[in-house]
Amino acid sequence: MKHSGHEEFLRATPVIDHDHPAVRKKALSLAEGCKGDGEIARNCFVFVRDGIRHSWDYKTNPVTLSASAVLAHTTGSCFAKSHLLVALLRANKIPAGFCYQRLKNHSDVGPAFYLHGLNAVWFEEYGWYRADARGNRADVHAEFTPPEEHLAFVPKEPGEADLTGIFSDPLPLVVDLLTKYTDYLDIRRNLPDVEE
């Protein structure tokens, strides 16, 4: 098998519903004409980064959780966008998972520190490669240039950190957050935080 040992990073779940017809169709269209996993993954990344509006940047509802909902409403938090990217990659048989950062909140809304969600993609030639499709803005420039990382944020301030581990499923506290609240502002006010 092409990716033996990575089965858990290829499976569909209720949140990562890459078996949903619309998600599958989008994933296959992004792979059309591509030479290899690198090109497919880059197309998927660029689509989620640029084609799905970050709910806080654009002040948009509804709050989305599953990949199919993010695709249908073309909006989501960093977490929701990471769910869609994983689904698009897995639909193309590219192993993908979740990573998190703990970042200082420079906004006057929400907790002092919060979790930020991003992704890791498996490439045979590089191993795991982290990518952040949250969406660019004046102060954020994330790119997809494996093996070199160009993430949206680099933890530098005291208390900030890259959380260790690559997860096959979103953290339960992330799923709880996106299930409990229905407004982007409530998501921002209640962003989860974990100590590293």
Side-chain angles (χ1 to χ4, degrees), residues 3 7 13 32 35 41 46 48 62 65-66 73-74 104 110 116-117 132 139 142 167-168 172 176 181 185 188:
H3 296 294
E7 288 81 7
T13 70
E32 234 168 73
K35 297 180 212 62
V46 170
V48 176
L65 168 62
S66 69
H73 296 287
T74 65
K104 186 167 177 41
H116 170 62
D132 189 344
D139 60 335
F167 304 89
S168 57
D176 290 348
Y181 298 105
L185 197 49
R188 183 72 187 202

Side-chain angles (χ1 to χ4, degrees), residues 153-165:
F153 306 108
V154 178
K156 290 192 283 259
E157 296 195 42
E160 292 190 329
D162 285 312
L163 271 59
T164 48

Side-chain angles (χ1 to χ4, degrees), residues 14-69:
V15 174
I16 313 309
D17 55 349
H18 66 75
D19 47 359
H20 186 284
V23 175
R24 191 153 187 71
K25 184 178 175 191
K26 187 66 192 177
L28 296 177
S29 77
L30 290 166
E32 234 168 73
C34 288
K35 297 180 212 62
D37 287 356
E39 281 188 29
I40 296 170
R42 185 174 193 291
N43 279 358
C44 293
F45 169 85
V46 170
F47 168 71
V48 176
R49 184 192 67 187
D50 300 347
I52 305 293
R53 293 160 301 155
H54 187 284
S55 52
W56 176 248
D57 290 357
Y58 287 86
K59 311 292 186 245
T60 51
N61 285 317
V63 171
T64 50
L65 168 62
S66 69
S68 58

Side-chain angles (χ1 to χ4, degrees), residues 33-137:
C34 288
K35 297 180 212 62
D37 287 356
E39 281 188 29
I40 296 170
R42 185 174 193 291
N43 279 358
C44 293
F45 169 85
V46 170
F47 168 71
V48 176
R49 184 192 67 187
D50 300 347
I52 305 293
R53 293 160 301 155
H54 187 284
S55 52
W56 176 248
D57 290 357
Y58 287 86
K59 311 292 186 245
T60 51
N61 285 317
V63 171
T64 50
L65 168 62
S66 69
S68 58
V70 179
L71 182 62
H73 296 287
T74 65
T75 187
S77 64
C78 62
F79 304 122
K81 290 184 72 162
S82 76
H83 301 167
L84 177 58
L85 181 54
V86 163
L88 294 171
L89 292 166
R90 290 184 185 181
N92 281 303
K93 302 193 172 15
I94 300 171
F98 301 94
C99 310
Y100 298 92
Q101 294 174 323
R102 183 179 197 244
L103 300 174
K104 186 167 177 41
N105 188 0
H106 295 283
S107 161
D108 54 1
V109 180
F113 288 88
Y114 64 89
L115 267 194
H116 170 62
L118 56 155
N119 296 113
V121 188
W122 175 261
F123 293 112
E124 292 297 332
E125 60 267 48
Y126 313 124
W128 286 109
Y129 172 73
R130 291 188 307 163
D132 189 344
R134 76 157 309 280
N136 289 343
R137 60 185 192 208

